[in-house]
Structure formats: structure tokens, C-alpha cells
Amino acid sequence: MLAFVLRRLGMTLVAVWGALSAVFLVLHTSGDPALMMAPVGADEEQIAALSHALGYDRPIAEQYVAFFGDVLRGDFPDSLTFQQSALHVVWERLPATLTLAATALALACLGAAAAGLWAGGAGGRGGARREWPMWLVFLAQSVPGFYIGVLLVWIFGVELRWLPTSGAAGPAALILPAVTLACGVTPPLARVFRNSLRGELARPYTRTGTALGMSRARVLRHAAHGSMLPVVTVLGLEAGALLGGTVIVESVFSWPGVGQLVITALQNEDYPLVLADLTFLITAFVLVNLIVDLLYGLLDPRVRHSSGRS
């Protein structure tokens, strides 16, 4: 198990290095950062002085090394918008994003479990009566997330006036953005869980349990446990994608999280804040996938052994 963990940690470090290198190159090839950060009307001397003060006039290789040094130390330049450490601004917004993502993931798991059990619990029998929950989740998957968000705002915020449509003032404000995010995560989870559950119900051990007089609920419980490996994989991928998906949803609902901060930084051409925000999102996504890999190896020893042979 130790060798498996070390291999996965090494792969994670390589993935983070590659992703952050791509961010560095994209931002530096999109234009002079000092030119983007300089105030409106600044002359060439002021831009050159700013570039020198921030080290952007140094060779690209030196900037690259300095960038990774800053990442390892967590020492990013001050945000031009907030006039404080860019990383500190990201940390301040992090709890709101984690709350939103965790709530959306919980709702998605509940919805996927209900739809998957109803559609897959009959082992492929039951026809349309068993499949209608999956039709609903497929419909949700076919609609863009921002459109679902706007539709929910119009129905529950404007017409019915049941829920707040912006901000984070209380638990009620969390419902609409969390449901919007969950609509994008539920379909793949439900589909994988349904198919995996059907496969488990077709295995000899479940048929044997039924023949021995085990209750249907107990058989389903054992089959659902055996269906978790592919679900855990998809869950980890979707959990990482949620961090990126919050950019659009937080903008629609004015949720004060890391996602909305990216939009603010881009609109204000706040280069240090963009860099800190993207660094955090990329690192978080890769770490989530690392956790999923470790859980997968913990749940299924065959994964550890096959990884060792490769």
C-alpha cells in the first residue's frame, strides 16, 4: 500500500507541475502583465518601472523559477483590487465555495442514489415505469448549467418569491445555486450507479442470496456496496469539476466564493489574483483526484497490485 501511495503522490506532483506550468505560459504569452496591471493612462516609464518592480522584465526562465518558488511558499503578490495578498483573498472566499460544492455534491449523491436504485434495482426489468427517473436526470444533463440557474431564479425567486436569488445571507440563499450545481453532477453518478447495480444483481452471489430467502432490501444493500467502485471514480472526477463549475454558478447567483473571484480578477485585469486563484483551483482539482485514487486502491486491492505491476 505504501508503494501505491508513493506512486500516486509522484504522479500528482507531476500533474500539478504541468498544469501550473501551462497557466504560467498562457498568462505570460497573453501580453505583458505590467501593461495589464498598470493604471489607465500610464506612460511607458511607469509601465517599465512597474515591470521592473514585479520582476517581469527578467528572462522568462528566471520568472518561471521565481513563480514556482512563490507557489511553494504561498507568497503571491498583492491583489490590485483588494490591496492585500492575493492568496489571502482566495482563502477568505474558500469557505463559501466549499460550502456550496459540498451541499451540491450531497444533493447529487442523494438524487443519484434514488434514481439509480429505482431504475437499476429491478435488474433491468420494469420498463418505462422504472426508467422515468433516469429520463429526468438525462434531461437535466442536456440543459446548460447557467440556463438551469436562470430558470430557477425566475421561478423560485421572481415568480414565487420563495428563495433569495443572490448573495449568501443565510441557508436559504444556498438552495438555488446548490441545486443548479447538483443538476450537472447527478446524471453521470446516476447512470454509472444504475449500470453498476444491474451488473451486480446479475452476479451469482445475488441470485444465490435470493434463492436462500434473503430479503430484497438486503440483496440490494449488498449489490449497492459492490457497485461503489465505479461510482467513487465518477464522484471524485465530478467533485473536482465542481470547483471549476462554481465559476459560472457563483456568477449567476452572486455567491461570494472563489469562482466569482476569478471573474472579478479577470474583469479588473488583476494578474496576481488570477494567478493565485487558478493555482488554487488546479491544485484542488488534482488533490481531489489523488484522494479518489487512494480510496480506489483502498477499496479494491486489485488496483494496487495491477498498478505495481505496471
Side-chain angles (χ1 to χ4, degrees):
M1 184 65 184
L2 179 60
F4 173 77
V5 171
L6 292 177
R7 283 193 299 271
R8 287 297 185 267
L9 285 175
M11 294 169 60
T12 298
L13 291 176
V14 172
V16 171
W17 168 77
L20 293 183
S21 297
V23 169
F24 174 85
L25 293 175
V26 168
L27 290 178
H28 276 72
T29 55
S30 61
D32 185 359
L35 185 60
M36 294 187 291
M37 297 165 61
V40 178
D43 55 30
E44 293 184 2
E45 291 184 359
Q46 291 174 313
I47 295 175
L50 178 61
S51 180
H52 179 73
L54 297 175
Y56 296 136
D57 58 345
R58 292 182 293 173
I60 190 71
E62 291 185 16
Q63 295 186 51
Y64 180 74
V65 173
F67 164 69
F68 273 95
D70 292 340
V71 169
L72 292 175
R73 294 191 303 271
D75 182 20
F76 289 89
D78 287 349
S79 165
L80 302 178
T81 306
F82 298 93
Q83 297 299 313
Q84 55 179 310
S85 171
L87 189 60
H88 179 71
V89 176
V90 173
W91 282 116
E92 285 183 339
R93 299 292 189 96
L94 180 59
T97 294
L98 291 180
T99 301
L100 176 58
T103 304
L105 201 59
L107 292 175
C109 288
L110 289 175
L117 280 172
W118 181 264
R125 300 181 298 274
R129 183 176 64 85
R130 282 283 180 175
E131 287 297 325
W132 68 264
M134 299 304 298
W135 296 347
L136 292 180
V137 296
F138 290 152
L139 178 62
Q141 189 176 26
S142 65
V143 179
F146 71 88
Y147 184 80
I148 293 177
V150 172
L151 188 63
L152 292 177
V153 167
W154 176 62
I155 295 175
F156 296 100
V158 177
E159 295 295 330
L160 299 177
R161 299 182 182 276
W162 288 354
L163 297 169
T165 59
S166 63
L174 179 62
I175 297 176
L176 292 183
V179 170
T180 302
L181 276 176
C183 285
V185 179
T186 302
L189 286 176
R191 184 171 59 249
V192 170
F193 181 48
R194 179 199 61 181
N195 295 339
S196 182
L197 183 61
R198 285 181 176 177
E200 288 297 316
L201 289 174
R203 289 178 178 271
Y205 79 89
T206 57
R207 294 197 298 267
T208 302
T210 302
L212 292 175
M214 291 176 60
S215 66
R216 185 62 178 174
R218 188 176 179 185
V219 171
L220 280 176
R221 184 167 65 250
H222 285 288
H225 178 75
S227 307
M228 284 298 104
L229 285 178
V231 175
V232 167
T233 301
V234 176
L235 182 62
L237 294 174
E238 294 298 326
L242 269 180
L243 295 175
T246 56
V247 174
I248 296 175
V249 173
E250 287 182 3
S251 299
V252 171
F253 292 96
S254 298
W255 186 263
V258 176
Q260 189 192 43
L261 192 63
V262 174
I263 304 299
T264 301
L266 290 173
Q267 289 174 341
N268 297 333
E269 297 183 347
D270 192 338
Y271 177 83
L273 188 55
V274 171
L275 203 58
D277 219 337
L278 291 179
T279 298
F280 166 77
L281 290 174
I282 289 171
T283 304
F285 178 82
V286 175
L287 287 178
V288 167
N289 282 276
L290 170 64
I291 293 172
V292 172
D293 278 346
L294 296 180
L295 285 176
Y296 209 83
L298 186 64
L299 292 172
D300 190 351
R302 293 173 298 178
V303 176
R304 302 197 299 268
H305 299 324
S306 63
S307 177
R309 288 193 298 268
S310 61

